[in-house]
Amino acid sequence: MSEPVTESMAEVRRHLADVIDRARRDETPTIITRRGKSEAVLVDIDEYRRLKQVAEQYEEEWLNRLADEAESEGLNGSVSVEEMAALLRSAP
């Protein structure tokens, strides 16, 4: 993956097809800014799916480690990994 390009939302609007092509063909993400603040990143769909899979795998491993630690400490009233994941996802 190439270093990201930073462009304002107005610039991206003017040439969205080129930004998408750059993400897909050149594997170059675009950081989209609004009023000088980074707001979003446009990446190729395959890269998005890969990043999502990595994040989900990391989250599952982390939750499993927490569950293993809780189990080894013999904590009463603990919750399942699924319950913990739901609680974490609902947190602000």
Side-chain angles (χ1 to χ4, degrees), residues 70-87:
E71 186 176 316
S72 70
E73 293 174 7
L75 297 177
N76 292 327
S78 61
V79 296
S80 70
V81 171
E82 291 80 13
E83 292 169 314
M84 187 180 296
L87 288 170

Side-chain angles (χ1 to χ4, degrees), residues 43-54:
V43 295
D44 174 66
I45 190 66
D46 291 334
E47 180 64 7
Y48 167 78
R49 289 177 180 139
R50 187 190 73 75
L51 291 170
K52 185 175 180 201
Q53 181 181 20
V54 167

Side-chain angles (χ1 to χ4, degrees), residues 17-76:
D18 293 333
V19 174
I20 292 170
D21 287 344
R22 181 173 56 212
R24 184 181 45 79
R25 185 181 51 242
D26 303 334
E27 297 181 354
T28 301
T30 299
I31 298 171
I32 302 169
T33 62
R34 183 176 9 196
R35 296 184 188 98
K37 289 182 61 180
S38 297
E39 294 283 330
V41 179
L42 191 141
V43 295
D44 174 66
I45 190 66
D46 291 334
E47 180 64 7
Y48 167 78
R49 289 177 180 139
R50 187 190 73 75
L51 291 170
K52 185 175 180 201
Q53 181 181 20
V54 167
E56 288 172 351
Q57 181 180 356
Y58 178 79
E59 178 184 48
E60 185 175 328
E61 290 170 3
W62 178 70
L63 290 172
N64 285 333
R65 279 195 310 273
L66 287 177
D68 290 345
E69 289 172 15
E71 186 176 316
S72 70
E73 293 174 7
L75 297 177
N76 292 327

Side-chain angles (χ1 to χ4, degrees), residues 7-20:
E7 293 188 4
S8 71
M9 191 168 307
E11 292 171 320
V12 170
R13 275 191 202 121
R14 284 193 290 271
H15 65 102
L16 180 59
D18 293 333
V19 174
I20 292 170

